[in-house]
Amino acid sequence: MTSPITTERHGDILVIISNSPPVNALGAAVRQGLEAGVKQGLADPAVKAMVIRCDGKTWFAGADITEFGKPPVGPDLRAVIDMIEASDKPVVAAIHGTALGGGCEVALGCHYRIADPMAVIGTPEVKLGLLPGAGGTQRIPRIATVALALQMTAIGDPVPVAKAHAEGLIDRIAAPSALATDAIAFATEIADARPLPRCSEQDAKADPEAIEAFKAANAKRFRGFEAPAANIACVEAATRLSFSEGMTFERTEFMKLMMGTQSAAQRHLFFAERQAAKIDGIAPDIALRPIKKVGVIGAGTMGGGISMNFLSVGIPVTIVEMQQEALDRGVGVIRKNYEGSAARGRLKPEQVEAAMAALTPSLNLADLADCDLVIEAVYENMEVKKELFAKLDGIVKQGAILASNTSYLNVDEIAAATSRPDVVLGMHFFSPANVMKLLEVVRGAKTADDVLATVMALAKKIKKVAVVAGVCPGFIGNRMLSPRQIEANKLLMEGATPEQIDRVHVAFGMPMGPFQMSDLAGIDIGWHRDPTRIDSIRDALCAEGRWGQKKQAGFYDYDDKRNPTPSPRVAEIIEDFRSRSNMAKREITDQEIVERTLYTMVNEGALILEEKMAQRASDIDVTWIFGYGWPVYRGGPMFWADTEGLKKVVEGLEKHGFKVAQLLKDKAASGGRLN
Ligand code: T1G
């Protein structure tokens, strides 16, 4: 097998080049090639200095994550980096693209770093439930500040080169698209400079205040995660241990995380997110339809948020409303949202104006005639939608895609209202649509392959994580939400309290429990509006005007800062309802709540897979992570069920008399996994 590493001589400079698409991951072949390249440079007396650079879209984007959990193949990355650093000939790292994880650590093992102006450098391992395990936690605080080391390791966001240069991580910034030549010039310039600057020989200045301040500032963000604390501990260790002691400390912490379930969950999600974009049975290079102009019908909360996704990436949007007042209000909210982002420094004023300039408000559906994609976000009513799609069928140019933002209606029935069901599908955004990353792309029975592929590719362009869902009530996410809500309400009748059930879900890692979520969304959504008809606890709450946070009263009472407190009135309502329904109150354990509200979701997920309403179990995980706040470190409902043990899940379901999906029973019986 040819090595992905080649070398070139430029005078007395040896350039070691990696070309291992797609991201020059530091797999075994790359490590072996790097080691051989540096040894070649060391052995050749004519070589005075070396440059390491990568071809393709990026410098090494980290260790090869696909190797994790497999038997290690030498050389170890730490050994390669130590060899580079120990070299008695200067080694220059020439960085472009994303120098991440092990890639950042290789760069820090080099004596000098030069970077393309657009490059970024970072250690995102914490997002995989890990830490930089090849010396990053020991070298970064030795050449930059502890504060930066904490940001880079425990939060994991990449650092733009300009900042990295200012902080001393990067020695020089190359001229645009002149990295290769500038790196050779830099190497020539420092070829005789001695002593060679080695990160490991620097001292990391202690900064206990920075560490305490960092911990306090990020406590909420790190809740439930194991890796951030381990990253912080390693950086702190760098300020008091020798380099080799620090490396030992780092290794111990790294292996603890690597063997843990959280990192396994987060690594599962890394690949699940990328897998979700792939459509089984459709060639990855299928020709896509051009989407140069988008139409959005409805300028309410959803329509406005949906429009922003396209405006923010430079795709012009025509937004249509029935009434001028509603149109003005919708456009006003879009501008306010953009100005809010600018005020928080996330956008420049000229970007706000550019986005608003690309927005065309209209009261006329005919203005959508030349759109390539039209998305309706109108009132959730089948007749209204069918009538609208029939109109669009007569207006919008042939070849355009017609999408519905319905969150549970039958997309095939909507498509049947047109003469071109092959270009109709669902694009189910989540509120706030300009923020939430998940997009359920609902594939109709007649949706054409290139239409589906076009929308999936477009989703990546508007920075969404798209998942293909089949046509069934509630698609993937909402369909799994409903058994949870049903069981949560039943548990109330049997003796649990809203705060007990929510506490179990929050302790599990959810941002909030079923009842806090109902209060946030509004308990009155879908309510029959007849205060005399009390068929459920929800009816009783709505009849009393307890519609949720917006009324400062729902399943909880709320203060003016929207902090929830358990409500004695709700306890009375539940007690009253129980006695009127002749139901005896009993002790409910937290485990029973888990079994009846979470195992039932897994069971519904298995039914979705059986019915092929989702392509794969990992898509269900991606749906719940990016759309419903399922804790990242549990990998999603299906991955969690595998971790929990499918036998235990099946027993838990059967114990409560649930009909268990055959797929789940079969996997449990065969010792299989859902993922
Ligand atoms: N290992 C293996 N495969 C990888 C990979 C990696 N590090 N990074 C990307 N891929 C695959 C990915 O699965 C996809 O495959 C293809 O490359 C394109 O990726 C010891 C322990 C670099 C910013 O966490 O963040 O170093 O789906 O679709 O949007 O301390 O990939 O095409 O088959 O994401 O342009 C630390 C992970 C590792 C960076 C490019 N590094 N990668 O984004 O392309 S742990 C990371 C990314 C580590 C050491 C430790 C992004 C990217 P496929 P893509 P992109």
Side-chain angles (χ1 to χ4, degrees):
M1 194 175 79
T2 52
S3 168
I5 304 283
T6 55
T7 60
E8 289 171 4
R9 278 286 300 283
H10 295 261
D12 50 19
I13 307 298
L14 181 72
V15 181
I16 301 165
I17 305 160
S18 174
N19 188 5
S20 179
V23 296
N24 283 299
L26 289 151
V30 172
R31 297 194 305 274
Q32 288 154 6
L34 261 181
E35 183 184 53
V38 174
K39 281 186 176 161
Q40 178 190 336
L42 289 171
D44 184 341
V47 170
K48 289 183 71 178
M50 293 174 257
V51 169
I52 299 177
R53 74 170 173 78
C54 294
D55 278 347
K57 74 175 177 188
T58 181
W59 170 267
F60 311 108
D64 185 336
I65 308 169
T66 63
E67 289 185 348
F68 293 174
K70 296 182 182 141
V73 178
D76 179 276
L77 182 58
R78 290 165 301 158
V80 174
I81 295 172
D82 290 347
M83 183 189 69
I84 292 170
E85 191 181 55
S87 158
D88 58 6
K89 296 180 182 182
V91 182
V92 175
I95 298 165
H96 78 290
T98 53
L100 302 176
C104 170
E105 293 167 303
V106 169
L108 297 176
C110 296
H111 306 110
Y112 298 93
R113 286 154 291 282
I114 180 169
D116 175 85
M118 301 309 292
V120 296
I121 186 166
T123 49
E125 285 88 340
V126 71
K127 298 182 181 188
L128 297 169
L130 294 170
L131 53 83
T137 69
Q138 300 307 302
R139 286 191 170 90
I140 297 173
R142 280 178 161 77
I143 65 165
T145 59
V146 161
L148 181 70
L150 291 169
Q151 278 288 343
M152 288 181 71
T153 58
I155 292 185
D157 293 338
V159 179
V161 149
K163 178 172 167 54
H165 184 240
E167 294 265 1
L169 278 178
I170 298 284
D171 301 289
R172 188 164 294 182
I173 298 182
S177 49
L179 179 65
T181 46
D182 285 4
I184 293 168
F186 189 22
T188 307
E189 186 188 316
I190 50 86
D192 301 312
R194 294 297 182 280
L196 293 175
R198 295 185 172 90
C199 294
S200 63
E201 293 170 358
Q202 321 299 321
D203 290 330
K205 219 160 74 20
D207 191 349
E209 295 76 30
I211 292 178
E212 288 322 307
F214 182 81
K215 284 182 186 168
N218 294 288
K220 189 158 178 280
R221 170 191 201 140
F222 292 157
R223 186 174 72 83
F225 289 91
E226 292 160 357
N231 278 271
I232 296 168
C234 289
V235 170
E236 190 278 331
T239 65
R240 57 182 170 79
L241 299 176
S242 70
F243 181 76
S244 63
E245 290 165 341
M247 286 298 284
T248 308
F249 185 95
E250 177 191 277
R251 192 75 206 168
T252 310
E253 293 298 316
F254 179 81
M255 290 317 291
K256 266 194 260 170
L257 295 173
M258 179 65 92
M259 308 320 274
T261 54
Q262 290 203 354
S263 179
Q266 290 173 261
R267 281 180 270 140
H268 159 71
L269 281 175
F270 176 83
F271 290 113
E273 184 186 341
R274 285 152 183 81
Q275 194 65 16
K278 298 175 180 143
I279 314 165
D280 295 345
I282 296 183
D285 58 357
I286 187 170
L288 305 178
R289 300 186 183 207
I291 305 292
K292 297 214 173 358
K293 185 177 177 197
V294 170
V296 173
I297 306 168
T301 312
M302 289 309 290
I306 292 170
S307 302
M308 290 178 72
N309 290 306
F310 297 97
L311 297 170
S312 301
V313 295
I315 298 176
V317 172
T318 298
I319 190 165
V320 176
E321 250 301 347
M322 315 274 271
Q323 315 292 335
Q324 188 64 48
E325 192 239 335
L327 186 59
D328 296 344
R329 191 175 48 244
V331 171
V333 170
I334 293 175
R335 172 171 283 282
K336 197 164 119 304
N337 285 341
Y338 276 128
E339 286 171 351
S341 300
R344 288 189 296 278
R346 295 212 190 109
L347 279 181
K348 298 195 184 80
E350 54 271 26
Q351 290 173 302
V352 173
E353 294 318 317
M356 293 311 293
L359 178 64
T360 306
S362 164
L363 294 173
N364 191 349
L365 280 177
D367 290 340
L368 302 177
D370 63 344
C371 287
D372 303 303
L373 165 67
V374 175
I375 306 171
E376 67 73 20
V378 301
Y379 182 58
E380 196 73 310
N381 172 286
M382 182 55 92
E383 290 321 307
V384 170
K385 293 193 190 270
K386 285 164 78 171
E387 193 192 325
L388 176 59
F389 272 73
K391 280 195 194 136
L392 291 173
D393 194 20
I395 292 169
V396 182
K397 69 180 179 185
Q398 288 303 315
I401 297 174
L402 305 177
S404 169
N405 179 52
T406 178
S407 57
Y408 65 90
L409 292 175
N410 185 319
V411 169
D412 288 331
E413 198 178 331
I414 295 172
T418 75
S419 63
R420 41 180 149 168
D422 59 319
V423 300
V424 176
L425 47 52
M427 291 178 75
H428 178 210
F429 290 82
F430 288 73
S431 183
N434 56 312
V435 177
M436 293 297 286
K437 290 197 74 172
L438 181 68
L439 175 64
E440 280 183 322
V441 177
V442 185
R443 180 185 203 165
K446 298 196 175 139
T447 303
D449 287 356
D450 69 326
V451 167
L452 181 63
T454 297
V455 169
M456 291 297 283
L458 182 64
K460 189 160 185 180
K461 189 166 179 184
I462 60 173
K463 303 189 176 51
K464 297 298 181 192
V465 176
V467 168
V468 177
V471 176
C472 60
F475 314 132
I476 299 174
N478 287 346
R479 177 172 167 179
M480 291 168 70
L481 187 64
S482 113
R484 185 186 88 164
Q485 299 303 98
I486 291 167
E487 284 307 308
N489 281 291
K490 280 190 189 163
L491 284 158
L492 279 189
M493 289 295 288
E494 296 169 34
T497 62
E499 45 273 21
Q500 179 194 10
I501 295 170
D502 286 350
R503 175 181 49 69
V504 169
H505 280 252
V506 172
F508 182 82
M510 304 295 270
M512 61 180 69
F515 298 106
Q516 287 157 328
M517 198 167 95
S518 299
D519 279 356
L520 179 68
I523 303 174
D524 61 316
I525 292 181
W527 178 48
H528 50 62
R529 312 271 148 196
D530 175 359
T532 63
R533 206 176 98 208
I534 309 284
D535 301 333
S536 67
I537 291 171
R538 190 184 80 137
D539 285 353
L541 294 175
C542 288
E544 291 205 1
R546 300 185 68 92
W547 296 357
Q549 281 194 17
K550 59 189 168 192
K551 292 280 187 179
Q552 288 199 289
F555 282 99
Y556 295 84
D557 294 331
Y558 292 87
D559 61 20
D560 49 21
K561 291 199 179 60
R562 296 203 170 208
N563 297 317
T565 48
S567 162
R569 175 66 197 127
V570 172
E572 275 169 16
I573 289 173
I574 295 173
E575 192 50 51
D576 170 46
F577 213 78
R578 252 190 229 124
S579 54
R580 270 196 296 125
S581 319
N582 297 325
M583 288 197 64
K585 180 175 177 177
R586 66 179 175 83
E587 193 60 32
I588 306 276
T589 64
D590 291 1
Q591 181 54 24
E592 178 173 354
I593 292 170
V594 167
E595 289 164 355
R596 289 175 57 181
T597 60
L598 297 177
Y599 285 8
T600 47
M601 285 176 53
V602 172
N603 196 35
E604 195 65 32
L607 292 172
I608 288 171
L609 290 173
E610 281 178 5
E611 297 164 22
K612 302 206 175 328
M613 290 300 137
Q615 298 190 94
R616 49 192 84 91
S618 60
D619 285 8
I620 295 177
D621 292 332
V622 165
T623 298
W624 269 79
I625 293 279
F626 289 99
Y628 298 82
W630 184 278
V632 171
Y633 52 81
R634 292 190 189 275
M638 310 312 270
F639 182 90
W640 170 69
D642 285 332
T643 312
E644 191 75 351
L646 298 183
K647 259 202 178 58
K648 182 177 171 195
V649 172
V650 169
E651 283 156 12
L653 289 164
E654 286 173 342
K655 185 166 67 181
H656 299 294
F658 293 106
K659 183 173 178 330
V660 180
Q662 195 56 45
L663 174 76
L664 207 45
K665 277 199 264 190
D666 295 349
K667 292 278 185 188
S670 65
R673 295 172 64 91
L674 293 166
N675 270 294

